[in-house]
Amino acid sequence: MNHVVVYLGNPRTGLHLPPLLSATTMGGNSFRQTLPDAQFPRLSPQAYSHIKQLLTQCLTPLFTHVTVPHEAPEKVDHGDVDFLVTGPKEGLTLEYLRETLGAPFHIPSPKGMLGPSVFAIPLAKFGDGDTVKDQEGKEGTFVQVDVIVCSDEQSWSRSYCFRSWGDLGMIMGQLVASVGLHLGEKGLR
């Protein structure tokens, strides 16, 4: 299995994504390069909620804290499921996490257990046609799951606040930037 390392870009710090992937590969499309024939359908709110519940049960024994940021109100569908976690149990590896989630493919975080790792989990794993709609039984149909491992509880709490309610954290960051400050997952500077 080939692994693609994804580095997130930040124009303020000068960090950029490598040429292999661009910012357009985020939000449900991270596997476009490595799995070009795979399907990652948008999830209805019902399917998203069902998958979120099942994966929360898988992740809870592995981490001290597990959450999903609040979604944007009235969002009509979802491209992926994002989990914020912290406090990995002793000895936990990305390979064990991949196996526990049932993901045949993943893009590991460049920081090992810390940071964002992305998993492709077969959609069929999550239930019947009521949950997964017309995609049931289609070969090569996956759900993208992002597991963001925060360094400590304080970082996890800030990330939860910043990533909740859709783009609200980004909007607030733009507002405070207009007065020369920076608001992000590491707080206000």
Side-chain angles (χ1 to χ4, degrees):
M1 176 186 333
N2 293 331
H3 296 284
V4 177
V5 177
V6 176
Y7 296 90
L8 299 178
N10 182 335
R12 289 194 181 116
T13 63
L15 297 174
H16 300 285
L17 293 169
L20 180 60
L21 296 175
S22 70
T24 60
T25 62
M26 304 312 286
N29 295 308
S30 291
F31 290 96
R32 187 169 287 161
Q33 296 288 328
T34 55
L35 301 172
D37 296 328
Q39 296 180 41
F40 290 83
R42 303 288 299 177
L43 301 170
S44 69
Q46 297 81 10
Y48 175 85
S49 179
H50 177 72
I51 291 168
K52 178 173 72 169
Q53 177 187 7
L54 291 175
L55 291 178
T56 298
Q57 293 171 3
C58 287
L59 292 170
T60 298
L62 304 178
F63 295 93
T64 305
H65 300 287
V66 176
T67 194
V68 173
H70 283 287
E71 299 82 19
E74 299 181 23
K75 188 167 184 176
V76 296
D77 60 17
H78 302 269
D80 62 0
V81 184
D82 296 335
F83 284 90
L84 295 172
V85 299
T86 192
K89 302 300 180 183
E90 189 171 333
L92 181 62
T93 64
L94 282 174
E95 183 61 20
Y96 184 78
L97 179 57
R98 183 192 66 74
E99 290 172 6
T100 300
L101 293 174
F105 307 101
H106 77 290
I107 302 171
S109 169
K111 298 177 183 178
M113 275 305 294
L114 287 179
S117 291
V118 186
F119 301 88
I121 303 174
L123 188 58
K125 172 185 169 124
F126 298 107
D128 59 30
D130 290 339
T131 302
V132 298
K133 286 191 162 181
D134 300 326
Q135 302 298 325
E136 182 181 16
K138 284 190 179 176
E139 197 68 32
T141 303
F142 299 90
V143 174
Q144 178 179 315
V145 176
D146 301 347
V147 178
I148 301 127
V149 182
C150 302
S151 58
D152 55 35
E153 190 175 348
Q154 189 175 31
S155 171
W156 174 79
S157 181
R158 282 192 310 265
S159 292
Y160 175 73
C161 179
F162 191 77
R163 291 175 181 255
S164 286
W165 309 114
D167 294 326
L168 183 60
M170 300 291 187
I171 294 168
M172 291 177 3
Q174 292 297 316
L175 288 173
V176 300
S178 69
V179 294
L181 299 172
H182 174 78
L183 176 66
E185 292 183 29
K186 294 184 179 181
L188 181 64
R189 297 185 265 136

